[in-house]
Amino acid sequence: MKRFFIPLLVLILPLSTFACSRNIIPQSSAPNTENPAAPAPVEKTLSSFTSIAGTDYLMAGIVPIEMARDSSRNPFEWINSSGYSGYSSYVTYNYVFFNTQTGEYHRLLPSNDLVIQQTAGFPQFVYDSNDPEKPAPVIEFWIYNIVKADTNGDTFFDYRDKLTIGISDVSGSNYTELIENVDAIQSQYYKDSSNFIIIYNVNDKNFIARVNPITREILSTTEMDLGEDVK
């Protein structure tokens, strides 16, 4: 199948509204228990569909209708508008995947009430100056950083709230939550199809999780000993 060149398959979503010596499951602080007010309802619409290179699938976001009126940008165009370390003004509540062979479609999440803060497809394209014509790899799975609750009580779902790290097939199927109540993602590294590394922070402690993307199993979780003065 003809592949489409996509420079960087990382989707960045919003600011306003990817050698283990011991196995430790981090304990995170409890979310706000005072039932803070939920963000005001937002009228939503479907963005443009875009082909996922090397597959039979198209992908589109469920986004605020105001955003769709201002721009016809699809998920892969959001990639080109900002870098992995930042956040853009684009808000995504869900994704819709369409199979061009069967005509079937489905949403990633069962409802449109959460905020997908960041999305990344793996393996990612790495430019090689020695082989500039090298095609982008076919995405095997997506990693999502999702805000499920207003954990800081400011009535917004954004990067300041606790995150849930989820994974799905490239088709958006078999969505699984891997790690909950995360404060920040430090790094995500694709080693091979059965080894994926996530470095993240919970309550001023840093952890390394080694994941098998095929089985959705967390193989190990190790706390990083960086000294008492490092948060």
Side-chain angles (χ1 to χ4, degrees):
M1 175 179 293
K2 180 179 179 182
R3 296 183 179 178
F4 298 93
F5 177 78
I6 301 176
L8 179 63
L9 288 172
V10 179
L11 295 133
I12 304 302
L13 304 173
L15 177 59
S16 62
T17 347
F18 220 132
C20 295
S21 59
R22 52 199 172 119
N23 293 343
I24 302 175
I25 303 300
Q27 299 297 319
S28 57
S29 61
N32 191 317
T33 58
E34 297 182 356
N35 298 319
V42 175
E43 189 175 3
K44 305 174 180 74
T45 190
L46 188 65
S47 74
S48 301
F49 276 91
T50 299
S51 297
I52 302 175
T55 77
D56 293 327
Y57 292 93
L58 305 180
M59 180 180 183
I62 293 179
V63 299
I65 197 165
E66 292 81 2
M67 188 183 93
R69 288 171 178 162
D70 293 340
S71 171
S72 61
R73 291 185 177 184
N74 57 50
F76 293 134
E77 288 175 325
W78 299 338
I79 298 170
N80 300 329
S81 66
S82 55
Y84 183 80
S85 61
Y87 298 92
S88 76
S89 60
Y90 300 109
V91 180
T92 298
Y93 299 100
N94 213 334
Y95 288 113
V96 178
F97 295 83
F98 177 76
N99 187 322
T100 60
Q101 294 298 313
T102 66
E104 297 178 343
Y105 67 91
H106 65 273
R107 293 183 298 179
L108 173 72
L109 304 173
S111 76
N112 305 319
D113 299 324
L114 310 182
V115 168
I116 304 175
Q117 179 193 330
Q118 194 175 77
T119 304
F122 292 92
Q124 295 179 345
F125 175 77
V126 178
Y127 177 76
D128 184 354
S129 59
N130 296 319
D131 186 9
E133 301 302 320
K134 179 181 178 180
V138 176
I139 293 176
E140 297 172 6
F141 58 91
W142 299 100
I143 294 290
Y144 311 92
N145 298 342
I146 298 178
V147 178
K148 298 172 61 177
D150 176 24
T151 57
N152 67 354
D154 65 357
T155 72
F156 292 101
F157 279 22
D158 61 22
Y159 72 100
R160 289 165 290 196
D161 293 305
K162 295 283 187 176
L163 301 171
T164 293
I165 303 175
I167 185 173
S168 80
D169 298 339
V170 67
S171 65
S173 302
N174 301 315
Y175 173 77
T176 303
E177 294 183 351
L178 297 173
I179 309 171
E180 295 185 308
N181 297 317
V182 172
D183 291 314
I185 310 298
Q186 312 288 28
S187 184
Q188 299 178 135
Y189 175 72
Y190 176 95
K191 186 175 182 181
D192 56 51
S193 60
S194 60
N195 284 279
F196 184 71
I197 296 171
I198 304 172
I199 302 175
Y200 62 98
N201 181 280
V202 174
N203 299 334
D204 294 330
K205 295 182 179 180
N206 297 295
F207 298 88
I208 303 171
R210 191 163 64 90
V211 179
N212 184 327
I214 298 174
T215 63
R216 306 290 197 265
E217 178 185 7
I218 297 179
L219 304 175
S220 63
T221 303
T222 304
E223 183 178 348
M224 302 177 71
D225 185 3
L226 304 176
E228 293 295 328
D229 57 336
V230 177
K231 301 299 184 181

